[in-house]
Amino acid sequence: MTDIEDRQKLATSPEERPALAIAGVGAVAAVALAVLLFSASRYDYFGDELYFLAAGRRPSFGYADQGPVLPMLARLMDTIAPGNFFVLRLPVVALTVLGVVLCAVVARELGGGRGAQIFAAIGYATSPFLLLQGKILTTNAVDTVLWVIITWLVVRWVRTRRDRLLLCAALVTAVDMQVKWLIPFFWIAVAVASLISGPRELVRRPLLWLGGAIVVAATVPSLIWQAGQDWPQLSMGGVISSEQGILGGRVMFVPLAVLLAGYFGAVLLMYGVWALLFHISLRPYRFLGVTLVILVVIFLVIGGRIYYVAGMYGVVLAAGAVGLAELASRLEPAPRRWIAGAGAALAAVATGYLLWSTPWRGATQVEPPANAAEAAVNIGVYGEFGWPELTSAVTKAYDSLNPAERTDAIIITDTYWQASALDQFERANLPPIYSPSRGFGYFGTPPDTASAVIAVGVNDGFLHWDFDNCAPVAKVDSRIGYPGNTQDVTVWTCTGLRHSWSEVWPTWMHL
């Protein structure tokens, strides 16, 4: 019997009480679900959610900054319950809870018993990032869980050598490619890592390559769209790298990436890397530790965001829980109890911090961001406020136009969040809405027949350069909101466009 089979038999033996493990993991998942449902019911639409809704009303095989999965999902949920942001978020809530459960399942696949499985689930569920990103519909929340599913399938393949698991992993990859273009980095890293440390036969499996062909075929429509638009999604890399500078850039990448796992999760994460790389019992899975190291190097070099590696956290947290449980089993009873007590205390602290991080405060108790860095760190909170103030100011500006101007007026906003909010809340009562920002800029070019333009937050240098007459008519400055979107935003009315929009629009467009 192989070492893997020995550990798997141990994990499923009567002494390990699998029913108790299921009950324990189920309890953790139930608490995570309750926290997510509460959090998803708070505040208002997040800016990206509004964008997904706007994109879903403009179906396409591709978008400048993402694939079509989230826009189509947003459109489906908004069709089921129009204007209900809670219902919009239910799919990602379900996916995030699945991530908690799968983290425990991976620990079981790695040979972990009841304690390791429960600790793995707690590690995932007490990470404010891994869990609470599931309170809003975002590409990263979906992408992270799809990575967890893929890594679970890969781990299970290592144990069972059932090649259909690799085909299933490829099918999930095909879906993930319609969300984000990060998953190819994972497979490249897996291929390199498996050639370095084994199992080398992974890259020779025919079903893996068949799955790769399916992924490419499924991605072709999106690739054609990107090619026709001069590959805007690839250009997003430079934008993301500059945005990452707000949080310390490459210098702080690794420390902040570790902190994403939370207090308890950080311990499991760091030990999980060590366990995958050096524990003999986890040697068949060493390539996954090497994969994480390769991914960190790649994202450091290209200037990726710190959460780009979060999709690997499920398997690494599971390995950390299994490794620590194995370490404790070799100790005398007294130090073993000490480790168990310290782990339980740290898990309790992490749980308390998670609950404190939930959006339990009412809107009147939320303090405005002190600066751009604080707003960026807490974008999931501040990005949900200020939409009523924005729509009210723009509506009043439109109503202030004379009847002739209102007939052929248009609205142009500086950011895709602003355009998406107006498109969601007031599109029936406002003129056509445009924005040169990110994906919204590809939804269409303004017509040259516009008699007046309501410009929301647009740089006044552009306005005075391209129009004969511009005047500020309103100010959007919500008490809490996101700077540049719903705070310190000037609304202008402009007339007398000096050039055609076909000439002006490319100079305004930005990612």
Side-chain angles (χ1 to χ4, degrees):
M1 184 176 290
T2 66
D3 179 66
I4 299 175
E5 291 169 336
D6 284 336
R7 289 186 293 106
Q8 192 62 24
K9 182 177 179 181
L10 177 64
T12 57
S13 64
E15 292 78 5
E16 286 298 322
R17 300 178 184 177
L20 289 179
I22 293 172
V25 172
V28 174
V31 173
L33 176 61
V35 169
L36 283 171
L37 290 175
F38 169 77
S39 301
S41 68
R42 305 287 284 169
Y43 308 149
D44 204 340
Y45 287 101
F46 181 60
D48 280 354
E49 292 175 321
L50 294 168
Y51 171 56
F52 300 146
L53 288 165
R57 287 188 285 271
R58 300 161 175 84
S60 174
F61 285 116
Y63 298 89
D65 47 3
Q66 63 177 315
V69 164
L70 263 69
M72 294 302 99
L73 180 59
R75 182 172 184 174
L76 171 64
M77 301 311 292
D78 196 55
T79 301
I80 294 171
N84 191 313
F85 63 81
F86 177 74
V87 173
L88 178 75
R89 295 166 176 171
L90 290 181
V92 76
V93 167
L95 276 174
T96 303
V97 175
L98 176 63
V100 174
V101 174
L102 282 181
C103 189
V105 172
V106 171
R108 181 181 175 85
E109 291 288 339
L110 296 176
R114 171 167 52 95
Q117 293 170 45
I118 294 173
F119 267 32
I122 292 173
Y124 199 105
T126 56
S127 162
F129 175 80
L130 291 175
L131 187 73
L132 292 183
Q133 69 172 345
K135 77 181 181 69
I136 52 179
L137 183 65
T138 63
T139 53
N140 193 66
V142 174
D143 178 64
T144 297
V145 181
L146 293 179
W147 278 50
V148 175
I149 296 171
I150 292 167
T151 51
W152 163 59
L153 291 168
V154 171
V155 166
R156 188 164 176 79
W157 174 84
V158 173
R159 186 176 67 80
T160 66
R161 291 303 197 269
R162 296 172 184 166
D163 286 0
R164 66 176 180 269
L165 294 168
L166 297 178
L167 182 59
C168 291
L171 295 177
V172 179
T173 299
V175 175
D176 200 14
M177 282 295 291
Q178 307 305 314
V179 177
K180 272 192 170 186
W181 282 6
L182 287 182
I183 194 64
F185 291 111
F186 167 79
W187 284 110
I188 292 170
V190 163
V192 173
S194 65
L195 290 174
I196 292 173
S197 59
R200 293 181 176 87
E201 64 266 30
L202 173 62
V203 298
R204 297 195 296 267
R205 296 299 196 186
L207 282 184
L208 178 67
W209 290 101
L210 173 61
I214 293 172
V215 171
V216 172
T219 311
V220 165
S222 180
L223 293 174
I224 293 173
W225 187 92
Q226 289 286 328
Q229 305 297 329
D230 201 23
W231 303 97
Q233 195 158 345
L234 296 182
S235 301
M236 284 293 298
V239 176
I240 290 168
S241 181
S242 63
E243 291 176 349
Q244 185 62 25
I246 298 177
L247 300 177
R250 291 175 173 84
V251 174
M252 295 300 296
F253 185 95
V254 173
L256 291 178
V258 172
L259 289 176
L260 287 182
Y263 295 129
F264 183 62
V267 174
L268 293 182
L269 186 71
M270 290 187 291
Y271 196 80
V273 175
W274 174 267
L276 285 171
L277 293 177
F278 301 110
H279 275 216
I280 295 177
S281 63
L282 293 177
R283 185 171 183 176
Y285 308 96
R286 182 177 296 172
F287 74 102
L288 291 171
V290 178
T291 296
L292 178 62
V293 173
I294 293 173
L295 286 172
V296 169
V297 172
I298 290 174
F299 293 137
L300 267 172
V301 171
I302 69 175
R305 289 175 175 156
I306 57 174
Y307 55 72
Y308 280 5
V309 294
M312 286 288 297
Y313 284 9
V315 67
V316 180
L317 290 172
V322 172
L324 286 172
E326 181 182 298
L327 175 65
S329 69
R330 295 198 297 263
L331 300 175
E332 295 296 324
R336 187 189 311 163
R337 286 193 294 270
W338 185 89
I339 288 179
L346 186 57
V349 171
T351 301
Y353 181 73
L354 172 79
L355 296 176
W356 180 83
S357 301
T358 60
W360 54 268
R361 293 174 294 172
T364 57
Q365 297 174 291
V366 177
E367 294 296 324
N371 48 53
E374 182 181 342
V377 170
N378 296 301
I379 189 172
V381 173
Y382 295 121
E384 295 178 278
F385 288 100
W387 310 126
E389 292 87 343
L390 173 69
T391 54
S392 175
V394 174
T395 300
K396 289 179 180 177
Y398 174 61
D399 291 341
S400 69
L401 298 176
N402 63 53
E405 291 174 328
R406 283 203 298 271
T407 300
D408 295 311
I410 62 171
I411 295 172
I412 297 180
T413 71
D414 180 54
T415 74
Y416 68 103
W417 278 14
Q418 294 164 333
S420 301
L422 297 174
D423 193 67
Q424 174 68 13
F425 299 121
E426 289 292 337
R427 65 182 180 276
N429 303 313
L430 290 174
I433 300 162
Y434 300 88
S435 175
S437 175
R438 292 209 177 170
F440 220 102
Y442 294 84
F443 291 164
T445 302
D448 294 327
T449 56
S451 58
V453 173
I454 299 172
V456 182
V458 178
N459 186 298
D460 58 352
F462 282 135
L463 297 178
H464 293 300
W465 179 265
D466 290 315
F467 289 93
D468 291 331
N469 301 294
C470 282
V473 293
K475 187 83 169 181
V476 182
D477 202 9
S478 58
R479 188 187 72 83
I480 46 176
Y482 201 73
N485 280 273
T486 56
Q487 287 187 325
D488 193 25
V489 175
T490 302
V491 181
W492 305 74
T493 58
C494 299
T495 58
L497 183 67
R498 293 172 180 155
H499 307 280
S500 69
W501 276 115
S502 60
E503 297 175 280
V504 173
W505 199 242
T507 66
W508 283 30
M509 287 179 66
H510 59 278
L511 293 172

